[in-house]
Amino acid sequence: MSDKLVAGVFKALAHPIRLQIINLLRAGPLCVCEILPNIDSEQSNASQHLAVLRSQGIVESEREGTKVVYRLKSPEVLQVIELVENMILRQIEETKILLEEKGELKCQRRGIR
């Protein structure tokens, strides 16, 4: 597998608006008109983000009459996001433990309990 291909997918995922879009599509296909009110982006900017996700095979679109409906093409992306979220939560927990231990050490040095 090419490192450039993998990097391209991670690059597509490396934007908060794109993650918002993916999280919205988690529940199922949505029309652009349903996506726009739920993200922090203007229509033209949202279209660019959707194009990036589409070019990386993360989402796909289909015209239904006058609407363009998007859906997750690769639902595995949700697992990738969940893995990263779990990694961040673990790092936060480890930092919390270290800070608590550090606080206890300071108290012990000062004779405080």
Side-chain angles (χ1 to χ4, degrees), residues 18-36:
R18 294 184 204 133
L19 291 173
Q20 285 180 343
I21 292 168
I22 291 167
N23 280 322
L24 287 171
L25 295 175
R26 178 185 298 260
L30 291 173
C31 170
V32 173
C33 62
E34 296 168 308
I35 294 171
L36 285 175

Side-chain angles (χ1 to χ4, degrees), residues 15 17 21 39-50:
H15 196 284
I17 299 295
I21 292 168
I39 60 172
D40 302 324
S41 182
E42 298 296 320
Q43 191 270 328
S44 61
N45 199 11
S47 294
Q48 292 173 351
H49 288 300
L50 285 162

